[in-house]
Amino acid sequence: MNPDQPVEFHAPCGHLIAAPADRVGQEVRCPHCHRVARVPSPDVPYASPVPVPAGATEPAALTALYVTTLIGGLLAAGLV
C-alpha cells in the first residue's frame, strides 16, 4: 500500500471514513457521529464491520409490513 494513500474504513455509525496511513492503530473521531474508531491496518480485509443497530428491522420483515399495510389500506378503501 502507498503510504500517502488514506485508509478507508467504516466508523461505528456505518459511514465510510478515511484516515492517513500513518494513523493506523490510532484512534480517530468520526466526522459524522463523533464517536471514536480505531484505524485498522489496510492489509486486514473488512477490519471494522458495520454494526447492526439495536432494534433494526430486517428488510424482508419490513417488506412484509409494507405489503400487509398496502393490502389493508386497499381493503379499507374498498369498504368506503
Side-chain angles (χ1 to χ4, degrees):
M1 174 175 197
N2 183 355
D4 296 330
Q5 183 178 0
V7 177
E8 291 185 336
F9 63 101
H10 290 281
C13 63
H15 281 94
L16 185 65
I17 60 175
D22 62 346
R23 299 291 306 263
V24 169
Q26 298 177 3
E27 293 181 342
V28 295
R29 193 167 296 278
C30 173
H32 303 281
C33 68
H34 305 290
R35 291 178 15 199
V36 175
R38 186 174 303 275
V39 179
S41 175
D43 58 347
V44 178
Y46 307 105
S48 57
V50 178
V52 176
T57 307
E58 293 293 323
L62 192 57
T63 301
L65 176 66
Y66 290 155
V67 170
T68 304
T69 305
L70 176 65
I71 292 172
L74 290 173
L75 289 174
L79 290 175
V80 172

